Amino acid sequence: MARRGENIYLRKDGRYEGRYIKGRRADGKAVFGSIYGKRYSEVKRKLARVKAQVYGPKGGLEQYAKCTLSEWTEYYLQVLVRPRVKPGTYDNYRRCMEKHILPWIGGIKMKELTPQDIEGTAAKLRDHLAAATLRGVFRILRSMLAEAVERGALDKTPYRGIRLPKGSTKPPRVLTTAEQSKLEQAIRGTGDMEYLLCLYTGLRVGEVCALRWEDVDFENGLIHVRRTAQRTGGGKEPTALTVGTPKSESSRREIPLPMFLADMLKELAGGATQGYIFEGRDGGMRDVRTFQKKLKRICDGLGLKDVHMHTLRHSFSTRCLEHGVGVEVLSALLGHSSPQITLKYYAHCTLEAKRRSMALLGGEA
């Protein structure tokens, strides 16, 4: 039988078959086409793409009003989202829907979906997800249903009056100056300068992974951020390490190198002008997970808790603000799209700086 009303069947020969309406006879009866594959997920994805080709950009979208939320999700992800976002974003959308939303309401017909169904799902998830995660998941669902209305697959969205917990903005984990000094001493001794690079440039782990020698301008003491690495896939699909363009256009940037770091990089290069700076065992790019695992081993040995690669980026940002670097400059160094994004994460740092300034003004220090 078909799974969740999606017209995908397991055949006797072990393959999956997905069926779709490709036309009508003169008497109005449907003419079906079929898609085959070894895996259910493979057929599900192919079916969404074929439906989009057969029905056109808008034609046939009324078909989804008669189908389930799960089927509309597949169309939305495969046809509307995947072509315009990075693979990591697409994977996150799919993971959120398949893990949190579809198990509860994926089998409900689009036209039968009610605000009470959505509110009930939120109530079930409140005890299992952090407030920020919950809001992120339902933001995807809201956009998906709004797109259905925009494209004529629904008359009006059932996402109405949904109340979600606001949650609190938790300051990021930042190394104290004492912790940073302790960590720096350890990594200088082992020669793991990739971590020093993060601490003194604020690079994301994917950006460090994808760095090549041709990205380093030794003459002017600059690093050019031109690409990033990330693991894509997951869930029912195998993961793969891929290299693509930076997270956003503002993430393409030039970062001045401290002199000591430029000297260390030059020594590490040994005259090399091509290839990845931090190589893996096969001579290619080092895996993002390798960076994290090694950092965890180092920090565990030093007694530093809850430290990951992004902690180094947060610590760089905090040190910059502590030394009077302006938010606009820091935003450009971090590759944020605007200073407001920087302030969202590091407002607590600027508040401390204001307090110190007022204390000085009042002769308290």
Side-chain angles (χ1 to χ4, degrees), residues 144-186:
M144 192 172 72
L145 293 172
E147 194 76 51
V149 174
E150 177 71 23
R151 293 173 179 267
L154 278 178
D155 295 329
K156 60 181 179 180
T157 178
Y159 197 104
R160 300 190 303 276
I162 308 302
R163 296 182 179 180
L164 301 173
K166 289 185 178 181
S168 58
T169 303
K170 184 181 178 181
R173 165 71 163 109
V174 172
L175 294 171
T176 65
T177 51
E179 288 177 327
Q180 182 166 333
S181 178
K182 193 176 181 180
L183 178 58
E184 280 191 46
Q185 188 175 355

Side-chain angles (χ1 to χ4, degrees), residues 40-343:
Y40 171 80
S41 57
E42 173 192 357
V43 173
K44 187 177 178 181
R45 287 160 173 69
K46 286 181 178 178
L47 199 56
R49 287 195 291 267
V50 169
K51 283 180 178 180
Q53 292 170 357
V54 171
Y55 301 149
K58 285 209 171 184
L61 279 175
E62 69 275 1
Q63 298 279 341
Y64 287 97
K66 304 172 186 175
C67 295
T68 63
L69 176 66
S70 184
E71 288 179 286
W72 172 252
T73 299
E74 196 60 37
Y75 177 90
Y76 174 77
L77 292 175
Q78 280 289 332
V79 180
L80 305 180
V81 172
R82 194 169 199 168
R84 68 189 189 204
V85 301
K86 290 189 174 296
T89 303
Y90 165 79
D91 289 339
N92 179 55
Y93 279 26
R94 176 171 290 283
R95 188 164 49 248
C96 286
M97 293 303 298
E98 290 184 345
K99 186 175 181 179
H100 302 304
I101 299 295
L102 299 184
W104 301 103
I105 55 176
I108 299 177
K109 296 290 181 70
M110 285 281 281
K111 287 220 170 187
E112 296 173 4
L113 188 64
T114 66
Q116 290 72 34
D117 293 322
I118 298 173
E119 185 67 55
T121 302
K124 292 183 179 79
L125 294 172
R126 276 190 182 98
D127 296 334
H128 307 290
L129 297 179
T133 303
L134 185 68
R135 294 179 73 82
V137 169
F138 278 81
R139 193 178 301 118
I140 297 169
L141 177 62
R142 182 179 61 194
S143 297
M144 192 172 72
L145 293 172
E147 194 76 51
V149 174
E150 177 71 23
R151 293 173 179 267
L154 278 178
D155 295 329
K156 60 181 179 180
T157 178
Y159 197 104
R160 300 190 303 276
I162 308 302
R163 296 182 179 180
L164 301 173
K166 289 185 178 181
S168 58
T169 303
K170 184 181 178 181
R173 165 71 163 109
V174 172
L175 294 171
T176 65
T177 51
E179 288 177 327
Q180 182 166 333
S181 178
K182 193 176 181 180
L183 178 58
E184 280 191 46
Q185 188 175 355
I187 57 185
R188 283 175 189 266
T190 59
D192 296 314
M193 68 166 300
E194 56 268 35
Y195 304 119
L196 282 177
L197 196 61
C198 291
L199 278 171
Y200 282 91
T201 64
L203 287 171
R204 302 176 177 95
V205 61
E207 294 169 342
V208 175
C209 252
L211 273 180
R212 300 178 66 88
W213 286 117
E214 50 264 44
D215 298 325
V216 184
D217 180 353
F218 287 112
E219 184 177 346
N220 295 298
L222 296 172
I223 276 186
H224 298 270
V225 181
R226 296 170 171 142
R227 63 191 75 80
T228 189
Q230 63 180 159
R231 280 214 158 265
T232 58
K236 298 176 182 177
E237 302 296 328
T239 64
L241 187 63
T242 61
V243 179
T245 55
K247 187 176 180 181
S248 64
E249 191 55 40
S250 53
S251 292
R252 286 182 181 273
R253 60 200 190 278
E254 296 176 345
I255 303 177
L257 286 168
M259 189 173 294
F260 84 91
L261 206 54
D263 291 340
M264 290 179 72
L265 273 174
K266 190 174 290 186
E267 184 178 346
L268 181 65
T273 57
Q274 293 184 334
Y276 289 107
I277 295 178
F278 303 108
E279 294 183 343
R281 291 181 180 178
D282 59 357
M285 177 177 51
R286 191 179 301 176
D287 197 314
V288 291
R289 297 180 299 192
T290 303
F291 282 98
Q292 178 56 52
K293 287 177 181 177
K294 191 170 185 179
L295 178 63
K296 186 178 187 307
R297 286 198 302 270
I298 294 171
C299 290
D300 285 349
L302 296 172
L304 301 179
K305 303 298 183 183
D306 302 320
V307 178
H308 47 75
M309 289 298 293
H310 224 63
T311 304
L312 308 185
R313 178 173 162 89
H314 291 319
S315 300
F316 164 79
S317 306
T318 302
R319 298 292 94 84
C320 284
L321 290 169
E322 287 173 350
H323 286 81
V325 175
V327 174
E328 292 82 2
V329 173
L330 178 58
S331 179
L333 289 172
L334 293 173
H336 286 165
S337 58
S338 73
Q340 284 70 36
I341 299 295
T342 309
L343 281 171

